[in-house]
Amino acid sequence: IGEAVNQIMQTVKEFTAAQEEMSRQHEAGAISYRMDASRFPGQYGVLAGKVNELVAQHIAVKMHVVGVVAEYAKGNLSVDIDRLPGEKARITEAIDAVKKQLLGINDEIRTLVNAAAMGEFGVRGSEEKYQHTFREMVAGLNKLMETCQSGLEEVSLVMGRVAQGDLTARMEGSHRGAFERIKLDT
């Protein structure tokens, strides 16, 4: 009996050591590391196999998330995350929220670009719908639209006055770059 108890204790120690080693390996980034279930007799081997399966399932979810996010990083927003069950649904919700925001930003950019291409510089993006960098992006595009609008309106005003014979009309605003050159040429 004593020998059997010692053998069980030794197996439990080896099993515990194998789990600790798997934990260390995963912490160090070797997420493909698994316990060698064949090292353990009987139910301990079955248990080691089940632990490996559980770890593999969690890693598979993480790698799927990485794959979807990698596609989003390339601009491919056609990919959807799998509908995950239970508590894992929070992952689905978070990835869906990222996609929704990226699609929203894309729509804002498309709207502003199309408006600018049509000469409609009075159109503005909806900054209030976004936070942080996304808000900064829309605000920057709005600033671009505003700058173009004010510069072109001033050019139009001066040219309209010149067309009416008023050769004293001048652009008075503070401009830079191309608008400064237009101001000086005008």
Side-chain angles (χ1 to χ4, degrees):
I1 292 176
E3 202 173 293
V5 168
N6 285 339
Q7 188 176 4
I8 291 171
M9 288 176 57
Q10 183 61 33
T11 301
V12 168
K13 283 181 185 178
E14 289 175 11
F15 189 83
T16 301
Q19 285 182 314
E20 289 171 350
E21 179 60 21
M22 186 163 67
S23 177
R24 275 191 296 278
Q25 291 289 336
H26 281 247
E27 185 67 28
I31 60 174
S32 63
Y33 184 87
R34 302 292 184 267
M35 288 190 290
D36 181 2
S38 68
R39 285 184 42 211
F40 302 103
Q43 286 303 108
Y44 291 105
V46 171
L47 183 58
K50 295 291 184 190
V51 168
N52 285 341
E53 285 177 30
L54 177 64
V55 169
Q57 289 171 3
H58 283 284
I59 298 302
V61 169
K62 288 179 184 179
M63 296 313 291
H64 179 62
V65 168
V66 167
V68 170
V69 170
E71 287 301 308
Y72 291 176
K74 292 187 281 187
N76 179 8
L77 301 180
S78 67
V79 179
D80 287 318
I81 187 82
D82 294 341
R83 305 294 97 188
L84 299 172
E87 293 174 13
K88 291 190 285 187
R90 291 181 62 201
I91 296 168
T92 301
E93 292 164 4
I95 298 298
D96 285 348
V98 169
K99 181 177 181 174
K100 180 181 177 186
Q101 288 295 94
L102 289 171
L103 286 170
I105 287 294
N106 188 53
D107 287 344
E108 294 287 343
I109 292 169
R110 183 181 302 117
T111 297
L112 294 172
V113 166
N114 288 339
M118 298 296 292
E120 298 294 331
F121 291 97
V123 175
R124 298 292 182 269
S126 302
E127 295 174 42
E128 69 281 353
K129 289 172 37 179
Y130 303 97
Q131 298 176 2
H132 310 295
T133 302
F134 288 156
R135 179 175 281 200
E136 290 173 15
M137 289 169 64
V138 176
L141 290 169
N142 284 343
K143 178 72 173 164
L144 175 64
M145 295 292 279
E146 180 182 326
T147 301
C148 290
Q149 180 184 20
S150 68
L152 290 172
E153 284 176 352
E154 193 171 358
V155 168
S156 179
L157 179 68
V158 169
M159 299 310 274
R161 287 177 57 196
V162 168
Q164 294 174 353
D166 180 0
L167 300 180
T168 65
R170 303 180 64 77
M171 288 181 66
E172 301 295 336
S174 175
H175 301 286
R176 295 185 186 143
F179 283 120
E180 178 64 20
R181 288 191 301 277
I182 291 170
K183 176 182 172 181
L184 293 174
D185 289 347
T186 301

